[in-house]
Amino acid sequence: MTALNLINVTLQYPDGDGVMTALDAVNLTVHPGQFVSLVGPSGSGKSSLLAVAATLVKPTSGLVMIDGVDATALSEKELASLRRDKVGIIFQQPNLLASLTASEQLIITDHLRGKSLKAAAVRAAELLDLVGLADCAGKRPHQLSGGQRQRVNIARALMADPKLLLVDEPTAALDHARSDSIVRLLRKVSDEFNVATIMVTHDTEFVPLTDLVATMRDGVLTAPVPALAGSF
Ligand code: ADP
Ligand code: MG
């Protein structure tokens, strides 16, 4: 089973009298446990690809298959539950709730999914430990560093045990050392959870920590190639 399969996906936005093609017949297959870097100039369509893969934006044409399910055939309600159960989304700004502790940020997402508070609390503690924040469970966002907030964000995205993790410029707001440890954490997560991860990054230095790299240019995606050290 592939975690993500984009088949001939085109996304167009209205643009004056015409249209702007953000994704141009994109094909991409990502298997469980694969970690893919997505690089390319600003405005080339990287965030659009993640939005379509996250089922937040419906493509103009083409198929979006998540864990074998054709998302383009689902109702809004079915999409919401597919997204909730199978997709973890991590954006540049963690968007944590200011009044909640690290642990509560995680517990609330699982509780909304119908899990008992107790089961959610156990899972939250395990995940905070995994991301190196066991000591920070009771801290609120303002008591955490930028890197720690991004770790909470990653732990939160893992609560549902997603099949697909979509990460948009996770290190854009962080210094080099913190960026490095965030990408290494995503590597560990892809391996240990067997989750398919796509990470948009402008920092080609981190590409060798991933398995494959695909390049976007003017909405056109090149086929992924091995992300070997020295190739970037
Ligand atoms: P990237 O993430 O690579 O910088 P984006 O996917 O954000 O690129 O944008 C690709 C193109 O689509 C850009 O030209 C952008 O202006 C356009 N675009 C993105 N979102 C929208 C939108 N909601 N409405 C209209 N155009 C958009
Ligand atoms: Mg972007």
Side-chain angles (χ1 to χ4, degrees), residues 13-14 20 22 40-49 168:
Y13 293 112
M20 194 270 145
S42 178
S44 59
K46 305 180 299 297
S47 295
S48 298
L49 187 151
D168 202 348

Side-chain angles (χ1 to χ4, degrees), residues 64-100:
V64 178
M65 311 274 297
I66 294 172
D67 196 29
V69 174
D70 176 8
T72 51
L74 301 183
S75 67
E76 276 307 318
K77 197 173 165 202
E78 290 168 325
L79 272 184
S81 69
L82 176 81
R83 208 180 293 134
R84 196 187 58 205
D85 296 338
K86 305 218 164 170
V87 185
I89 301 173
I90 299 167
F91 291 145
Q92 179 180 336
Q93 295 299 338
N95 278 325
L96 301 175
L97 297 162
S99 62
L100 299 187

